[in-house]
Amino acid sequence: MIMQFAEKYFVMILTAAVGTLGYCLIINVKRNKIIYGCLGGMFSTFLYCVCVECGLSLLAQNLIPAAVATLYAEVLARIVKAPATVFLIPAIIPLVPGGRLYYTMSAIVDANADGAKLYARETLIIALGIAVGIVIVSLAFYHVSHKNIQYKVRFDRVIYQHEKEMSGERKRD
Amino acid sequence: MEMDKEQCCENPALVMERALDMGETMLRCGAEILRVEDTVTRICTAYGGGIVDVFTILSLIILSWKTDDGRNYTLTRRINPYPTDLKKLEELNALSRYICEKKPSCEEIEQHIRKIMAPEKRRIYKSKLSGYVLLASAFAIFFGGNLRDGLAAGVVSVLMYLWNYFFSSHGRNRVVYSLALSVVAGVLCILSVYVGIGQNADKVMIGSIMLLIPGINLMNSLRDMMCGDIITGILRLAEALMIAVAIAAGFGMAIMMLGGLLR
């Protein structure tokens, strides 16, 4: 069964890795971090293939790899000390519905209303799946990592100054 | 080279300018709004204390600073679009950490930023060119094409890189530029199949669509919206959707013009 899986999806995973490498070069990721991007792209494609093989719905097929890729990027960002975007963007690229976008357009050109509707719906579902996957994991990390942002300090300070003025007025009375 | 607090407070505008430089360059390289606002706030607070207010959207940063001695300063800056460059973003991130720790003088910060953002020479970059070729041909095969389709997509992507090189998109409307570029790419894809390099026009086209797709915009818009910067998130999402529609329209036009060649 593993052999069948490998035979069926080997080309896909390999090309995903190569394509991700190309994307890293285009957006100019630092040379020593390209390898992480490639691994992320490969990993998310692998998960996508597993999800397809398990017969999950179109939404879940893209949601799960996107969520795991985000987890991968956020964890790696803390280990390697770089912005999470550097690892997240390459890891998500193989999931982007470029093929569906093309077939939507092609169906519209051919005046094939049913096909256009079907493909447009699928494109939107995939985009939604990726978005939700990223959001779920990032939200968790957002609450962990942005705890010490400085809004709170400033707010205390404003109250403090305000109170000082108030107490001064009271003393003058 | 360390700058003490009094010296800074004498001339807060200088510090603010450097903070805005950092914010502008980070935003242009593709940082999220939260990261930009946080960096600007941290730099100002590190140098002079006081109360800092930053408001950032995709094309504007407003920075208002009430220093400890009670004076108010406000600077604004218009941001122009710029291609995403994660290497520069990373370097800027490291620089902002360095600034908050060591507090170097304003001139030193300016020198660092100038060094990072030095304008690139106008030449054909081998790494970018190979990136185009790898991406297009790999995804042509990824979406079910054969080796010849990958080869055709590679050839088309080289021509697209040359188009980008001669008519670079700096300071132009990205939506219109994507429309023009995708018409050209579509025509090239159909011609490549007509000449006989590729076999399936659709796979070659998908490969070159992947080059144009606004993935970064979409990703950043999501990350912005999550952090509560809904305005910028919506701006970026709108741009991404318009680019996607422009790409579809461009390839559609190419098929309408030259689709007869394929039959």
Side-chain angles (χ1 to χ4, degrees), chain B residues 104-197:
Chain B
S105 68
C106 289
E107 291 83 33
E108 197 187 333
I109 301 178
E110 198 182 352
Q111 275 173 8
H112 278 295
I113 296 178
R114 271 184 201 288
K115 206 164 145 198
I116 294 174
M117 296 301 288
E120 288 175 358
K121 278 182 214 131
R122 204 180 139 75
R123 65 181 176 81
I124 293 177
Y125 283 90
K126 270 183 210 140
S127 65
K128 279 219 166 149
L129 182 59
S130 50
Y132 268 69
V133 175
L134 286 178
L135 180 70
S137 40
F139 277 112
I141 300 171
F142 180 84
F143 282 105
N146 53 26
L147 277 177
R148 277 175 65 191
D149 296 336
L151 183 68
V155 173
V156 171
S157 70
V158 171
L159 295 172
M160 279 166 77
Y161 180 80
L162 290 179
W163 173 278
N164 261 340
Y165 172 73
F166 287 118
F167 311 97
S168 83
S169 62
H170 279 273
R172 280 182 219 180
N173 186 343
R174 263 192 76 192
V175 178
V176 178
Y177 185 77
S178 305
L179 182 65
L181 183 55
S182 42
V183 173
V184 173
V187 169
L188 287 174
C189 291
I190 292 173
L191 285 181
S192 78
V193 175
Y194 181 65
V195 169
I197 308 174

Side-chain angles (χ1 to χ4, degrees), chain A residues 46-153:
Chain A
F46 172 73
L47 269 179
Y48 171 80
C49 296
V50 171
C51 290
V52 169
E53 207 54 6
C54 292
L56 295 176
S57 68
L58 195 63
L59 187 77
Q61 275 171 22
N62 293 280
L63 194 151
I64 295 170
V68 176
T70 316
L71 188 69
Y72 166 84
E74 296 276 1
V75 169
L76 207 59
R78 275 153 189 78
I79 297 172
V80 189
K81 296 255 184 306
T85 327
V86 175
F87 310 111
L88 181 59
I89 292 176
I92 296 291
I93 279 300
L95 301 175
V96 169
R100 296 295 205 296
L101 183 65
Y102 172 82
Y103 288 119
T104 310
M105 181 273 298
S106 152
I108 292 174
V109 170
D110 291 342
N112 173 5
D114 292 339
K117 223 184 276 173
L118 180 73
Y119 282 123
R121 198 169 140 262
E122 284 185 358
T123 312
L124 283 179
I125 288 177
I126 294 174
L128 193 72
I130 296 173
V132 173
I134 295 175
V135 166
I136 290 173
V137 177
S138 295
L139 266 185
F141 274 91
Y142 168 73
H143 280 294
V144 175
S145 65
H146 294 293
K147 243 192 254 161
N148 55 351
I149 233 165
Q150 300 189 343
Y151 301 122
K152 218 172 179 181
V153 176

Side-chain angles (χ1 to χ4, degrees), chain A residues 13-27:
Chain A
I13 294 173
L14 189 71
T15 49
V18 177
T20 315
L21 170 67
Y23 201 74
C24 287
L25 289 173
I26 292 175
I27 55 175

Side-chain angles (χ1 to χ4, degrees), chain A residues 27-28 33 103 105 154, chain B residues 53 86-87 90 128 203 248:
Chain A
I27 55 175
N28 202 359
K33 289 181 182 98
Y103 288 119
M105 181 273 298
R154 196 193 78 192
Chain B
D53 282 292
L86 294 182
K87 187 178 162 206
E90 229 176 277
K128 279 219 166 149
K203 304 294 190 264

